Structures are given as structure tokens and as C-alpha cells.
Amino acid sequence: QKSATQFRYDLMEELEPTTPQEYILKGVVNASLGQMTENGDMIKLAQQFFQLVGASASECDTIPGRQCMASLFFLLKQFDDVLIYLKSVKPYSYNDPIFNYNFGVAQASCGEYKEAEESLLLVTNEKYRSEYTYLSWLARCFIMNGKPRDAWELYLKMESNSESFNMLILIANDCYKVGEFYFSAKAFDVLERLDPSPEYWEGKRGACAGIFQQVVAGKAPKQQLLDAMSMLRNNANSPQAEFIVSVMRKWASENGLEMDTEPN
């Protein structure tokens, strides 16, 4: 993907833009390669190209002109402004996968997770749907919309690599923030087995305590407590884990939870 973007950049490098379309092309290739290579100068140049078109008298009220302003604010991470411009062209872009992708990311960045999920699910292009950026934003929307299992399913379909590891971190932390402790604990448990860091143990310990609290309050199924105990037993040499499991086991026994169904 980088080589293709580099090739487009090389083709456009010598072009001195004279039309709005040429300025837009220069903006797109500089933005794409600049983001890919984390080149701030290219990103600033892309911002200038987009602003030249979007603020020009002849283009400011056209669809390309408004899309340029949205691109400018996207690069500036001013997502409230991105939404203003994208909403103005939405009726003309409903079936455009790139539009729905960008619209969904901007909505999620502004905390509009329900609308963002709907926009992201409208993206039909398989290339975009397989990108980590797309998957991570969709997972975050699922979690914030009370669908952590759907986020977990996205992770399970990924290949084991650095992107799936980053997805686990996202699921673990986002689920913890919103009180979805069961899937947070599952993610921290896998993370800890891949990288036995104290940070992941602390996250799993807190999430398992959250599961216990929810089960006691009748807000989570009791099976989740058995799963939490199973995850804690992966830390067999930890006195903290042994103590937490003993407290859970005592409560389970006193409340008629069948321990013989406990996973091995």
C-alpha cells in the first residue's frame, strides 16, 4: 500500500497545480503519504492545498470544496468542524464508502457512537473493512453502544499480529471504562498471556473484581463469576489471585452456585 501511495506521490510531485482538481489530487497524495510516513511537512502541505480549494470563491459551495474543508479539519483533528462539512454533502455521498468511513470516524471522534456505528457499517468495500483503523473504530463503537461481544468477535476474526494485540488493548481498556468488565477481563487475560506485564495483571484483577461486584448485585450472570475464577487461576503463583479466588469461591458456595460446572 505504501509503494502504491509513493508511486502516486512521485507522479504528482512535479505537477504545478492550476485547477481545483489538481490541487485536490496534490492534497490527497500528500495527506496519504504524510500520514503513512508521519511526515508533518507533507500533512501541512496537504492542509494548504485543501484550504486553497475549500476557501476559494468558486469552490466553497461545491461538493468538492466542502469535502476539501472536511479533509482540512480532519488533518487538524477538529472533528466538530469535519461533521459540519460532511453533513452538508451527505445527501450526495450516501453510497460512497470513503465518505461513510470518514463520516463514521468523525462521528465517533465526537462521541456520536450510535450514528458512527451506522455509518461504518455502511462501508461495503472489503479493503477498507479489513483495515485496522476501520476495525478499531467499529470495535470502539460496539463497546460504547453496549455490544462488547461484537467487538470481541471482530478480534477473534483477526490474524495474530501487532494489530490484533492493539485491538486487545483497545477492548480491555474501553470495556473497563464503561463497566463491561467481562470482556475487559477476557482481553486482559489474553494480553497477560502474550506479555506478562504487571499492567495487564492489574487490569485483569480489577476487571475480575468488577465482574464479582456485578454478579453479587444481580447485574451479570453467575457463569461470568466462574469464568473470572478460571482466568484468575492462570495466575497460580500470585497470592493476590489466590485470595480473590478464595473470596469468590466462598460467596459462590454460600449462594448455591454449582462449583462442579466451573471450567477447568
Side-chain angles (χ1 to χ4, degrees):
Q1 186 177 2
K2 181 180 176 182
S3 60
T5 305
Q6 182 71 56
F7 177 70
R8 295 188 192 101
Y9 176 82
D10 293 341
L11 278 178
M12 297 294 297
E13 189 175 15
E14 300 303 320
L15 173 70
E16 287 297 331
T18 57
T19 67
Q21 291 76 16
E22 289 171 348
Y23 277 105
I24 292 170
L25 283 172
K26 292 278 281 189
V28 169
V29 295
N30 275 279
S32 298
L33 193 58
Q35 289 179 304
M36 202 171 291
T37 60
E38 299 182 352
N39 185 316
D41 290 336
M42 282 186 180
I43 292 173
K44 286 180 182 177
L45 197 56
Q47 292 169 0
Q48 292 170 10
F49 287 131
F50 289 137
Q51 188 164 23
L52 276 170
V53 177
S56 69
S58 62
E59 298 295 322
C60 63
D61 287 327
T62 66
I63 293 173
R66 293 184 179 190
Q67 288 175 327
C68 280
M69 292 305 292
S71 298
L72 167 64
F73 288 121
F74 213 109
L75 293 174
L76 292 170
K77 301 188 187 302
Q78 296 177 16
F79 294 105
D80 287 330
D81 293 314
V82 173
L83 289 182
I84 291 171
Y85 284 98
L86 289 184
K87 285 177 180 177
S88 73
V89 299
K90 182 180 178 182
Y92 313 99
S93 310
Y94 186 78
N95 293 319
D96 182 347
I98 297 177
F99 173 84
N100 287 315
Y101 193 161
N102 290 332
F103 197 33
V105 171
Q107 288 170 314
S109 298
C110 292
E112 299 178 5
Y113 293 110
K114 183 176 182 296
E115 297 82 357
E117 179 184 330
E118 293 172 357
S119 296
L120 290 171
L121 290 175
L122 287 173
V123 177
T124 54
N125 185 298
E126 287 303 319
K127 175 179 173 292
Y128 300 143
R129 290 174 67 92
S130 65
E131 291 180 359
Y132 175 72
T133 300
Y134 173 87
L135 293 169
S136 61
W137 278 111
L138 184 58
R140 173 160 288 170
C141 290
F142 282 150
I143 292 165
M144 297 302 170
N145 292 333
K147 305 173 184 176
R149 185 176 296 277
D150 289 346
W152 186 251
E153 290 295 328
L154 288 179
Y155 157 71
L156 292 177
K157 292 174 183 176
M158 296 177 72
E159 296 180 11
S160 296
N161 53 31
S162 61
E163 291 182 349
S164 63
F165 189 85
N166 289 334
M167 179 68 88
L168 282 170
I169 293 174
L170 183 150
I171 292 171
N173 290 318
D174 277 13
C175 282
Y176 198 100
K177 288 175 188 173
V178 298
E180 297 285 0
F181 295 119
Y182 181 66
F183 285 98
S184 176
K186 285 171 73 72
F188 275 125
D189 185 51
V190 178
L191 284 167
E192 191 186 25
R193 279 182 275 156
L194 294 171
D195 175 14
S197 161
E199 176 188 352
Y200 300 140
W201 156 240
E202 290 168 9
K204 184 171 79 170
R205 180 185 64 195
C208 286
I211 293 170
F212 187 27
Q213 188 177 33
Q214 290 179 338
V215 171
V216 170
K219 295 180 179 179
K222 292 179 178 179
Q223 179 60 44
Q224 288 190 6
L225 182 60
L226 300 181
D227 291 345
M229 292 167 68
S230 177
M231 286 185 272
L232 287 166
R233 279 200 303 276
N234 289 332
N235 303 84
N237 297 323
S238 167
Q240 284 183 328
E242 290 180 12
F243 175 74
I244 298 169
V245 169
S246 69
V247 173
M248 291 177 170
R249 187 186 297 276
K250 183 173 184 292
W251 183 89
S253 177
E254 291 172 352
N255 287 271
L257 184 57
E258 291 291 333
M259 302 301 291
D260 60 357
T261 63
E262 192 173 331
N264 294 321

